[in-house]
Amino acid sequence: MDHSTGKPGYLRNVLVRLCLFCVVIVGVRFAYVVTLKGETCDLGDFCFFSLPGNLNVISGVGQLAESVSSVMSIEDTGKSAPAKPNGLPDLWANNDFQKSAQFYSSVFQDLIAEGFVGPNSKALGVETPMGADVFALREIGVKDSIGIYKKGSKPLVITGKAVKQPFDDNTFDFVFSGAGMIDKSGKPGEFASEICRTLKPKGFLVVHTGSKDTYSFNSLLHLFNCCTLIKTRDIDGFDTCMREIVMQKVVGDIYRVEEETNKCSVPDYKMKLIKKAEPLIKEEPKKPWITLKKNAQSIKYLPSMVDISFKQRYVYVDVGSRSYGSSIVSWFKKQYPKQNKTFEIYAVEADKTFHGQYKEKKGVKLLPYAAWVRNETLSFEINQDPGHKDVQKRRGMGRIQPVESSGEAASEVDVIQGFDFAEWLKNAVTEKDYVVMKMDVEGTEFDLIPRLIETGAICLIDEVFLECHYNRWQKCCPGERSSKYQNTYEQCLDLFTSLRESGVLVHQWW
């Protein structure tokens, strides 16, 4: 027997068996990882194969699948660290996901070039359903990135709300909110407040919004009172044109009225809006009750000119509201364009005859006092002028005066409490709120309006509907003027004109 030919055959058999054994080991290991653990084989597992960690997945589906191991290899970052995925998500191979990732990749590359975000940044994507922005951040080198959404999608997105983030204060160097998600938020004030809380001082915030008008742009900036504006530009998004806003966090509130001087300034964009308002009626109308009512049809409401979405709260203050159905229901609830916003309503009414109507009205808070220039006891005089008679209630329109000035009979005068309306307003609302005010106070406007201007409270009101009372021609008695009011129509016109020139969007009301 020739033993020289037997040794190679024996060695071959051993090698074959060894290779088969290795194949079995690899197969068992793969089955364990995928079937039992429910995960892909990444660099943290004991694997006989792994893919390069630097493959660019933005270029296509094939490379997207190949780079999964690089996407999942992220350092432990505490709350922001994602868990391992249950297999490669089908979402990542979706065309929409790829388009989004490509778009965000180009956006972030520009931001990296300008120094707003870098490889060492701890980054957060807010309200990101798919996590394409987080994916793009990691792919271009910002590895410590995570997203939040109401429904998590690990490893890119964890469960969390924009208005209640699951992170500590001053956590992130860079925060991004894309796709106009703040536009869609029902609570933009809380949305902004939480970002201010979790963004580090000197950290950068980038927001993409679809809103373009100057009013809404400045309203958005006021929400982020922790930040100062760095730059803004229009960009072509993957589905629509957006405005990109870059801000940096500073210490302190940079938007506020100067409390010491009680002064406020009106920006140019508000002055330009006033120029678009309907013209004032220059000539005294012969039939004011008809002319002013017709004029109301030509009023250019502020929400018909601008987007009011970026406000913390929405407030309607009806000063001299009278009955619940008078102007709150018949006008504000039915006619005022609210852009689907829910308004808090304050009814300021001194006449106790109407107080009972507000007891069970949801969303309406009654202030059963008289709006005045200071806190003091007043007399409430019931007008018996037939030109202003409320036939249904058999109750005349009332006006207020200091108690000592009243000379009416006791049966026609009620003693009521007046309050400093301007100071109340400054405590009730802020510059972040959207405030609408209707004022019908039977001549007291000539006291209240100057007080609002003096205290700076007038700048907290976005839109005013003012009925100015003067010695007008009587509806009941042709050729006769009202003796109730001493002011003239010219004085009313001066009041409206001065308000508009001061930057207040005021309308003539009836």
Side-chain angles (χ1 to χ4, degrees):
M1 179 179 293
D2 188 354
H3 295 281
S4 62
T5 60
K7 290 182 179 179
Y10 173 77
L11 182 60
R12 187 183 304 111
N13 290 336
V14 171
L15 292 174
V16 169
R17 291 178 182 179
L18 182 60
C19 290
L20 290 174
F21 178 75
C22 290
V23 170
V24 170
I25 291 297
V26 172
V28 170
R29 177 58 179 166
F30 181 80
Y32 168 75
V33 171
V34 176
T35 305
L36 298 181
K37 290 181 65 179
E39 300 174 353
T40 57
C41 186
D42 61 25
L43 296 178
D45 286 309
F46 174 70
C47 299
F48 292 105
F49 56 88
S50 63
L51 297 175
N54 59 352
L55 287 180
N56 183 4
V57 303
I58 305 300
S59 58
V61 177
Q63 291 181 341
L64 181 67
E66 293 177 15
S67 64
V68 60
S69 59
S70 69
V71 175
M72 294 184 297
S73 58
I74 180 172
E75 295 180 358
D76 185 7
T77 56
K79 291 183 179 180
S80 63
K84 297 177 181 178
N86 294 327
L88 175 62
D90 294 336
L91 175 64
W92 294 2
N94 182 282
N95 287 334
D96 290 338
F97 185 92
Q98 289 184 68
K99 286 175 61 179
S100 299
Q102 290 171 0
F103 166 70
Y104 289 127
S105 179
S106 64
V107 167
F108 294 138
Q109 286 174 14
D110 290 341
L111 295 173
I112 285 178
E114 297 179 81
F116 300 127
V117 62
N120 296 324
S121 298
K122 190 179 183 68
L124 171 67
V126 180
E127 289 289 276
T128 172
M130 299 189 299
D133 49 353
V134 180
F135 191 96
L137 278 168
R138 294 189 187 181
E139 281 300 304
I140 62 175
V142 188
K143 297 298 183 182
D144 196 354
S145 304
I146 194 66
I148 56 172
Y149 192 63
K150 59 184 178 182
K151 183 178 180 181
S153 179
K154 295 182 179 180
L156 302 176
V157 183
I158 64 174
T159 301
K161 296 181 179 180
V163 297
K164 192 176 182 180
Q165 297 181 19
F167 307 110
D168 294 331
D169 296 353
N170 306 320
T171 296
F172 298 98
D173 304 290
F174 177 78
V175 176
F176 176 76
S177 175
M181 295 305 290
I182 192 170
D183 304 6
K184 306 169 187 175
S185 174
K187 300 177 179 179
E190 295 180 31
F191 191 112
S193 178
E194 274 295 88
I195 289 178
C196 285
R197 183 182 67 80
T198 59
L199 182 64
K200 291 180 180 179
K202 297 185 178 181
F204 291 98
L205 164 66
V206 176
V207 175
H208 286 182
T209 172
S211 182
K212 296 297 177 67
D213 68 78
T214 308
Y215 181 91
S216 61
F217 171 72
N218 282 276
S219 297
L220 187 149
L221 293 182
H222 275 69
L223 288 180
F224 292 98
N225 58 346
C226 66
C227 295
T228 183
L229 177 65
I230 301 298
K231 59 172 290 187
T232 178
R233 65 167 181 164
D234 291 333
I235 57 175
D236 292 326
F238 54 90
D239 55 358
T240 184
C241 183
M242 305 290 288
R243 171 180 282 187
E244 180 179 85
I245 303 172
V246 181
M247 293 174 271
Q248 186 175 29
K249 184 175 178 178
V250 296
V251 178
D253 186 340
I254 61 175
Y255 296 103
R256 59 187 174 189
V257 177
E258 293 295 334
E259 296 181 357
E260 294 182 359
T261 60
N262 288 326
K263 292 182 179 180
C264 57
S265 59
V266 179
D268 290 340
Y269 71 90
K270 283 192 174 182
M271 297 299 295
K272 291 178 180 178
L273 282 173
I274 293 171
K275 293 179 180 179
K276 297 180 180 180
E278 75 285 352
L280 296 173
I281 301 172
K282 301 292 185 180
E283 298 294 330
E284 179 184 355
K286 298 298 182 182
K287 297 182 178 180
W289 55 91
I290 296 178
T291 303
L292 290 173
K293 191 170 184 178
K294 285 184 177 180
N295 183 62
Q297 299 174 2
S298 64
I299 284 178
K300 292 185 178 180
Y301 295 100
L302 183 56
S304 67
M305 296 188 285
V306 299
D307 179 6
I308 64 172
S309 296
F310 301 120
K311 290 293 184 177
Q312 184 169 266
R313 296 161 59 219
Y314 299 88
V315 179
Y316 171 57
V317 184
D318 195 325
V319 188
S321 60
R322 294 184 60 74
S323 67
Y324 175 69
S326 178
S327 55
I328 294 177
V329 173
S330 64
W331 170 66
F332 183 75
K333 286 196 171 185
K334 291 184 178 180
Q335 299 181 42
Y336 189 80
K338 294 178 279 293
Q339 293 187 8
N340 295 321
K341 307 301 181 184
T342 300
F343 279 72
E344 300 173 35
I345 300 176
Y346 290 91
V348 183
E349 178 51 56
D351 193 339
K352 59 187 178 182
T353 303
F354 304 104
H355 293 174
Q357 299 184 25
Y358 292 96
K359 287 184 177 180
E360 298 180 358
K361 303 301 180 185
K362 295 182 179 179
V364 181
K365 184 175 182 179
L366 172 67
L367 300 181
Y369 315 107
W372 187 232
V373 297
R374 53 187 167 270
N375 299 322
E376 66 175 342
T377 302
L378 301 167
S379 65
F380 186 78
E381 301 178 355
I382 306 305
N383 173 41
Q384 300 301 325
D385 186 344
H388 290 82
K389 194 74 172 180
D390 186 332
V391 179
Q392 181 180 1
K393 291 293 181 181
R394 305 304 299 172
R395 181 78 170 179
M397 300 289 185
R399 61 176 179 175
I400 60 175
Q401 290 186 13
V403 171
E404 60 271 14
S405 68
S406 176
E408 301 291 336
S411 61
E412 297 179 338
V413 176
D414 291 332
V415 175
I416 59 173
Q417 182 62 42
F419 72 105
D420 191 331
F421 176 70
E423 288 301 320
W424 171 84
L425 190 66
K426 291 174 70 174
N427 291 322
V429 301
T430 72
E431 287 183 303
K432 296 181 182 180
D433 301 328
Y434 181 82
V435 182
V436 181
M437 181 182 76
K438 188 227 76 179
M439 181 177 285
D440 179 7
V441 287
E442 301 300 306
T444 311
E445 61 270 12
F446 285 97
D447 298 294
L448 290 178
I449 295 298
R451 174 66 175 165
L452 289 171
I453 295 174
E454 172 193 342
T455 59
I458 195 70
C459 289
L460 298 173
I461 306 173
D462 292 85
E463 192 166 20
V464 179
F465 297 85
L466 174 64
E467 179 175 352
C468 188
H469 298 80
Y470 63 97
N471 56 350
R472 62 173 62 179
W473 297 109
Q474 292 295 284
K475 182 178 180 180
C476 66
C477 315
E480 294 185 17
R481 288 185 179 274
S482 170
S483 60
K484 181 178 179 181
Y485 309 108
Q486 300 302 314
N487 298 98
T488 65
Y489 184 81
E490 287 71 23
Q491 290 175 305
C492 280
L493 186 60
D494 288 342
L495 183 61
F496 283 109
T497 302
S498 63
L499 281 171
R500 286 195 174 184
E501 289 178 348
S502 300
V504 180
L505 181 57
V506 63
H507 308 282
Q508 289 170 301
W509 206 234
W510 82 97

